[in-house]
């Protein structure tokens, strides 16, 4: 659909909140991501699907500014970063963007949480990083954020290591949204959870998508999750996007041979 | 065969034991440390006739600083008369020819382990603190290269996170000695294992404080009149150890930092930790004339800079 | 006022695995006005539902145009940007399908209220309207807060209809909405559709039993099987309105 973006008249004139162009990432001779564009509008959830090694998680890590790119531009439509290619920022300012404007939920909670710091402390850390130094405010905001991600507040001071997988993901989510970021990145957020727990987490994500109006990118190999959550889908294969479009359109009327194969393998 | 035949003939050491190059390097490092308050400067820690961990860092700084006109005081946990303090004092005196004293007001160089004197230090005095572990981030970031990066970015969020955790779990700050401080609004610094009682004395102090870790090969400094603030929340404050209801059994002094002396009957006696100060008080009790300087805490336990300590009593933490 | 003008719209599926092109429909043209109800007729497998899905852009049309008059301007549904389609789906084009897609752990009431929340209505309003719609289709109030995954086909369809119709639309795509409904719910649906139509909502419907909605139909579009020689599908659709 990319070709039609420019010649068709446009109704929605909002600018994309998150826009990355020509992402490239190489590991030695392997090109993990090869010229990928990502565009997400406010309140929109973009799904990235593809098999293991297709580069979808690498795209997410690039968008999280946690790895250096080998090419590409990355913009967030925010007044303070107007026209600033985030890849050009130095380490200090990149950290500032990551703290204030990007939240991430990893598949593996060990990557996103301090297992031996209380759950509320994990959320409070975000606020501390942004400069908050009032204990009462830290408590209040951590509590609010955990409540939004539907974490049981009577357990807010438990260590994540004592929590179930679903609860750990909620703590990650609360931490990710604590500062109301522009972009929320979800890396297989429900993989490995029980089906019923998965449903609860999905429901929370749907509600957040509706309420927060942020740009969300979700990476998953589970097409059911993608169908439930994502507004649009990008299909990746060998570091490239082979197809993208509205979720139901890509899943119900896939155009590319690879997508057809993927969809039929999963349904 | 006699031992003397096996040993090399006795030779004189350089002035101050260390060779000229070592002293020059140390002085340069000290100047750098003074220029960047709170910043840890690496140096090539020399071998000394005492073991690492017994004050070699402080000793090297003192040996590089001392001149024949200096007056030296050495403190070990407040005491001038412990074996360690006595050995260091004798060694430095022999190697530099400095005079020695137990009076904090008379000394020009005070090398100390774990305490700051009760009497206020003045300009032209140098306090040399022995440091076992210079890195205040060690407890929150075991990876030292990562910790150095955090210093570079002034990214001390993890310290406040640890304060947060302390409040959530214990409803109070549990940090004892080595309570981390922000120096000159820039670097987080470990003030060496001085009690919290002594931490405020470093703030806007007229004297120079040099801190040196021989084993870790790092030294850092708080120049005179530099801001030093213990880390705390805007609404939950740093507190010093309460010395209320403690009276020195030897001198009758109160509201000073006390050592607890357990008694056979299960009770405790208290004694001034600062023996140099106690000595002067006793002299005065005996009727001798003795010049006692103003102290950091007055007889009511008020710190000499009003408002610096925001909280003396416990706060109720609402979780 | 013209709501939709479809010009020579075609849909072909290319199935790569067997290297075959399967035609669904070819050369469909028609015009739809505000408040008009168009019935799509034709033999089984002729691509009636596919046409609706193409207009909803769940399928990508292979050729032709579908000019839709949105409140924000005219746009070709066949080529519009995804973000525009998303906006139209949220606010102007409704799709009433045969099946509910229940989401685990989401109650019937919340599922129905959701489209209003997406449009920015507050929670109370959305819940109140959701209750009204569920009541209108005769879903027993005691199961409103239950999860529809456990419902019977008929009950699920009532939830589905309520969810599809709750938000105001300019164009409704009806894909056999009466299929599993009891007579009472069918009557409620027809009544509701009639009200919406009177308010100017344009509708395109596919019905197994067109007599269910007899009173609503203004025009009929007959789809011939593809490649049957009829190069001008729907060029001459019958006007059955009295």
């Amino acid at each position: 659909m990319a070709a039609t973006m420019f010649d068709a008249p446009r109704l929605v004139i909002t600018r994309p909140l998150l826009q990355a162009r020509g992402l490239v990432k190489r590991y030695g001779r392997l090109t993990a991501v090869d010229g990928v564009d990502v565009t997400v509008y406010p309140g929109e959830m973009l799904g990235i699907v593809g098999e293991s090694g297709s580069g979808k998680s690498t795209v997410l890590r690039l968008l999280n500014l946690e790895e250096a790119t080998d090419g590409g531009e990355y913009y967030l439509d925010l007044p303070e970063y107007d026209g600033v290619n985030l890849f050009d920022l130095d380490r200090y300012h990149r950290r500032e963007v990551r703290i204030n404007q990007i939240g991430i939920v990893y598949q593996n909670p060990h990557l996103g949480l301090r297992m031996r710091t209380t759950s509320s402390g994990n959320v409070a850390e975000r606020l501390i990083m942004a400069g908050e130094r009032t204990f009462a405010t830290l408590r209040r905001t951590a509590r609010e954020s955990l409540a939004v991600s539907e974490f049981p507040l009577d357990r807010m001071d438990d260590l994540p290591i004592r929590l179930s997988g679903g609860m750990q993901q909620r703590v990650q989510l609360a931490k990710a949204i604590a500062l109301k970021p522009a972009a929320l990145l979800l890396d297989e957020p429900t993989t490995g959870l029980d089906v019923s727990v998965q449903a609860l987490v999905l429901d929370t994500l749907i509600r957040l998508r509706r309420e927060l109006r942020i740009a969300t990118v979700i990476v998953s190999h589970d097409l059911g999750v993608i169908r439930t959550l994502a507004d649009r889908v990008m299909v990746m294969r060998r570091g490239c996007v082979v197809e993208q479009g509205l979720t139901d359109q890509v899943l119900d009327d896939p155009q590319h041979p690879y997508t057809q194969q993927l969809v039929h393998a999963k349904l | 065969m006699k031992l003397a035949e096996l040993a090399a003939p006795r030779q004189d050491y350089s002035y101050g034991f260390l060779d000229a190059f070592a002293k020059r390097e140390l002085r340069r490092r000290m100047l750098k440390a003074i220029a960047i308050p709170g910043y840890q400067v690496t140096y090539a820690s020399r071998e000394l006739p005492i073991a690492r961990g017994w004050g070699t860092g402080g000793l090297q700084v003192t040996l590089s600083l001392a001149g024949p006109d200096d007056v030296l005081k050495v403190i070990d946990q407040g005491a001038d008369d412990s074996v360690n303090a006595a050995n260091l004092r004798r060694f430095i005196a022999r190697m530099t020819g400095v005079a020695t004293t137990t009076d904090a007001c008379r000394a020009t160089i005070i090398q100390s382990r774990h305490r700051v004197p009760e009497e206020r230090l003045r300009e032209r005095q140098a306090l040399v603190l022995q440091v076992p572990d210079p890195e205040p981030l060690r407890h929150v970031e075991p990876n030292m290269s990562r910790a150095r990066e955090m210093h570079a970015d002034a990214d001390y969020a993890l310290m406040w996170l640890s304060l947060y955790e302390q409040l959530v779990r214990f409803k109070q700050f549990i940090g004892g000695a080595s309570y981390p401080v922000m120096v000159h609004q820039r670097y987080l610094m470990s003030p060496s294992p001085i009690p919290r009682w002594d931490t405020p004395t470093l703030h806007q102090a007229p004297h120079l404080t040099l801190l040196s870790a021989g084993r870790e090969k790092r030294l850092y400094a708080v120049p005179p009149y530099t801001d030093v603030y213990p880390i705390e929340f805007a609404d939950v404050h740093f507190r010093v150890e309460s010395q209320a209801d403690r009276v020195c059994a030897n001198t009758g002094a109160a509201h000073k930092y006390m050592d607890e002396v357990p008694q056979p009957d299960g009770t405790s006696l208290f004694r001034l930790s600062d023996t140099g100060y106690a000595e002067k008080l006793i002299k005065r009790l005996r009727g001798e004339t003795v010049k006692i300087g103003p102290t950091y805490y007055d007889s009511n336990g008020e710190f000499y800079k009003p408002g610096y300590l925001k909280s003396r009593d416990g706060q109720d933490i609402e979780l | 006022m013209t709501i939709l003008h479809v010009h020579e719209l075609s849909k072909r599926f290319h199935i790569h695995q067997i290297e075959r092109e399967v035609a669904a429909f070819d050369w469909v043209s028609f015009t739809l006005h505000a408040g008009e109800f168009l019935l799509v007729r034709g033999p089984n497998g002729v691509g009636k539902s596919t046409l609706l899905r193409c207009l909803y852009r769940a399928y990508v049309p292979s050729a032709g145009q579908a000019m839709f008059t949105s409140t924000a301007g005219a746009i070709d549904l066949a080529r519009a940007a995804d973000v525009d389609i998303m906006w139209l789906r949220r606010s102007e084009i409704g799709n009433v399908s045969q099946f509910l897609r229940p989401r685990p752990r989401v109650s019937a009431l919340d599922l129905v209220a959701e489209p209003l929340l997406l449009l920015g209505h507050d929670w109370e309003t959305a819940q109140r309207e959701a209750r009204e719609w569920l009541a209108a289709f005769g879903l027993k109030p005691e199961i409103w807060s239950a999860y529809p995954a456990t419902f019977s086909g008929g009950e699920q369809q009532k939830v589905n209809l309520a969810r599809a119709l709750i938000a105001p639309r300019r164009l409704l795509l009806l894909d056999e909405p009466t299929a599993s409904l009891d007579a009472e719910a069918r009557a409620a649906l027809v009544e509701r559709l009639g009200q919406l139509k009177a308010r100017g909502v344009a509708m395109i419907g596919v019905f197994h039993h067109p007599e269910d909605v007899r009173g609503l139909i203004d025009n009929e579009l007959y789809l011939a099987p593809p490649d049957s020689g009829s190069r001008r599908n729907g060029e001459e659709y019958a006007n059955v309105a009295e």
Side-chain angles (χ1 to χ4, degrees), chain B residues 31-87:
Chain B
L31 286 175
K32 180 170 179 182
I34 290 164
I36 318 173
Y39 173 74
Q40 298 170 41
V41 183
T42 51
Y43 68 99
S45 185
R46 264 50 178 203
E47 285 302 325
L48 291 163
I50 58 169
R52 299 271 195 225
W54 291 82
T56 53
L59 188 55
Q60 288 175 79
V61 166
T62 305
L63 290 171
S64 317
L65 277 182
D69 299 336
D70 275 310
V71 182
L72 174 75
K73 172 177 165 75
V74 180
I75 310 172
D76 179 4
Q77 299 254 42
D80 295 88
D81 47 5
S82 81
V83 174
N84 192 24
N87 281 340

Side-chain angles (χ1 to χ4, degrees), chain A residues 91-92 95 114 116-118 120-122 124-125 128-129 133-139 142-143 156-157 159, chain B residues 140 146 149 152-158 160-161 163-165 167-169 232-236 317-319:
Chain A
R91 191 168 54 88
Y92 186 78
R95 173 175 167 270
R114 296 178 190 281
R116 301 196 179 276
T117 295
T118 58
S120 67
N122 269 285
E125 183 186 354
I128 294 170
M129 286 173 119
R133 293 288 183 268
T134 305
F135 181 69
T137 312
L138 291 175
R139 281 305 275 181
R143 188 182 289 114
M156 68 184 277
D157 294 328
L159 302 183
Chain B
V140 295
R146 190 51 212 116
E149 214 172 87
D153 292 348
D155 169 13
Y156 298 129
L158 286 181
W160 269 270
L161 180 59
L163 291 185
Y164 174 94
E165 291 290 294
L167 289 185
V168 167
R169 292 187 204 187
E232 61 181 3
F233 285 118
D235 53 344
V236 184
I317 307 299
E318 197 160 323
L319 289 182

Side-chain angles (χ1 to χ4, degrees), chain C residues 134-183:
Chain C
L134 285 174
F137 287 117
L139 192 75
K140 298 188 294 281
E142 53 267 34
I143 63 170
W144 288 359
S145 49
Y147 305 136
T150 59
F151 291 4
S152 72
E155 286 165 340
Q156 284 198 6
Q157 185 55 2
K158 289 173 185 176
V159 176
N160 190 30
L161 290 175
R163 176 178 160 87
L165 296 174
I166 189 167
R169 305 292 186 193
R170 292 161 66 77
L171 172 64
L172 281 178
L173 306 168
L174 309 163
D175 190 359
E176 307 210 13
T178 54
S180 48
L181 287 182
D182 53 48

Side-chain angles (χ1 to χ4, degrees), chain B residues 247-316:
Chain B
V247 176
C248 175
N250 298 350
T251 63
H255 291 295
K256 300 287 176 289
Y257 194 74
M258 300 287 176
D259 285 340
E260 187 168 354
V261 188
Q263 298 301 301
D265 63 358
T267 61
S268 285
L269 281 182
F270 294 97
R271 268 202 308 247
L272 277 176
S273 154
D274 184 346
T275 58
Y277 177 62
E279 197 181 311
K280 290 208 269 185
L281 290 181
I282 289 168
K283 277 186 184 162
R284 189 162 65 181
L285 286 175
R286 290 205 200 107
E288 296 174 38
T289 46
V290 48
K291 197 165 162 257
I292 298 177
T295 51
Y296 287 109
Y297 295 87
D298 68 15
S299 50
N300 297 316
E302 292 294 344
F303 187 62
Y304 81 115
K305 286 186 189 301
Y308 180 80
L309 290 173
K310 295 185 201 76
S311 151
R312 277 184 70 188
D313 307 314
Q315 279 174 283
D316 278 332

